Amino acid sequence: MHIRATAIVCAVLAHGEHGTVARLMTPDDGLQPGYVRGGRSRAIRPVLLPGNLVAAEFRARSEEQLAGLTVELVRSRAGLMGEPLAAAAIGWATALTAAALPEGQPFPQLHAALDGLLNAIELAPSARGWGAALARYELLLLGELGFGLDLSACAATGDAAGLAFVSPRSGRAVSLAGAAGYEDRLLPLPSFLIAGGQGEGWGDILAGLRITGHFLARDVMTERRAAVLAARERLIERIGRLG
């Protein structure tokens, strides 16, 4: 096995006395693990920060063997680690990717979306510029893993207009008319999850994140992976203070 790619660092674990096992998101080969010799050294440790873009080369004698991995820095986001909200967002997005995706399966749309999200976190003047993108990334990840929400039409009436809620049980959209009398049992649906854009304010962003968070916790981040949700809870708490 031999893979060369510009990849996103998603997770790094210490391995042995000096090495690390890094999991990188590649454009064409999905999430790939590799052993980095000397990965805990002063020279390589800053390269392997989650969120960084690296030129990666994986080599293994067979598909079953953990590949040896060498990396060179392409783009560092280390400067954002001193900004608590941006650092928390990068930490969550990369941890989610590493925990949720099966290794070795291509997810080109997710790679492009993660790269776009990280760029938005880096370049936007505030979290208002990337909060909606984070919710859309989580929504896309749910869909890529087979847990997509149906936001095309009302589950009760079949009407595509006036969609205002999501059923927490079925993941289908519900219109104002279809929700009459049941509003308190449904999740408010911000329009940006359907139409795009940045949302109309913090309330919209938090509403979108509540929807994706509900389905991530229920369908994806279960059992051992559930512990990763603590990073998301800390992020949502920080965003909530801004509202």
Side-chain angles (χ1 to χ4, degrees):
M1 187 268 277
H2 184 202
I3 296 172
R4 286 182 177 176
T6 300
I8 300 166
V9 180
C10 289
V12 182
L13 293 174
H15 189 279
E17 187 174 353
H18 303 291
T20 57
V21 174
R23 304 178 77 194
L24 311 185
M25 185 62 171
T26 69
D28 301 320
D29 297 283
L31 193 68
Q32 290 287 338
Y35 174 73
V36 183
R37 187 182 299 274
R40 297 162 70 184
S41 68
R42 290 184 180 181
I44 301 180
R45 191 168 54 207
V47 177
L48 289 175
L49 287 177
N52 279 359
L53 200 65
V54 297
E57 185 169 4
F58 299 84
R59 288 182 179 272
R61 293 182 178 180
S62 69
E63 294 291 339
E64 293 74 26
Q65 181 185 30
L66 177 64
L69 170 61
T70 58
V71 293
E72 292 183 10
L73 184 64
V74 173
R75 184 170 185 172
S76 174
R77 295 189 168 97
L80 295 173
M81 295 302 105
E83 301 179 23
L85 193 56
I90 291 173
W92 161 245
T94 53
L96 169 64
T97 303
L101 298 186
E103 293 176 351
Q105 295 187 23
F107 293 96
Q109 284 188 302
L110 274 178
H111 177 274
L114 178 60
D115 187 50
L117 171 60
L118 294 173
N119 286 337
I121 295 170
E122 182 178 10
L123 299 175
S126 73
R128 281 287 302 274
W130 52 258
L134 175 60
R136 285 195 294 271
Y137 178 70
E138 294 180 342
L139 188 68
L140 176 63
L141 184 141
L142 284 164
E144 291 286 292
L145 293 178
F147 301 106
L149 280 62
D150 183 355
L151 306 181
S152 61
C154 175
T157 67
D159 195 347
L163 301 178
F165 299 95
V166 171
S167 165
R169 295 185 63 185
S170 68
R172 297 185 63 188
V174 183
S175 67
L176 280 171
Y182 296 93
E183 293 90 345
D184 60 343
R185 302 182 188 180
L186 304 172
L187 299 168
L189 172 63
S191 60
F192 78 82
L193 283 185
I194 299 175
Q198 296 184 358
E200 297 182 6
W202 288 117
D204 261 14
I205 292 171
L206 287 168
L209 290 170
R210 276 193 290 270
I211 291 172
T212 54
H214 170 80
F215 292 100
L216 283 172
R218 191 189 75 175
D219 298 325
V220 178
M221 308 305 287
T222 58
E223 299 177 351
R224 289 181 299 174
R225 291 181 291 185
V228 180
L229 286 170
R232 189 181 195 275
E233 292 169 4
R234 291 191 294 270
L235 172 61
I236 299 301
E237 183 180 354
R238 289 182 183 275
I239 293 176
R241 293 174 191 163
L242 299 175

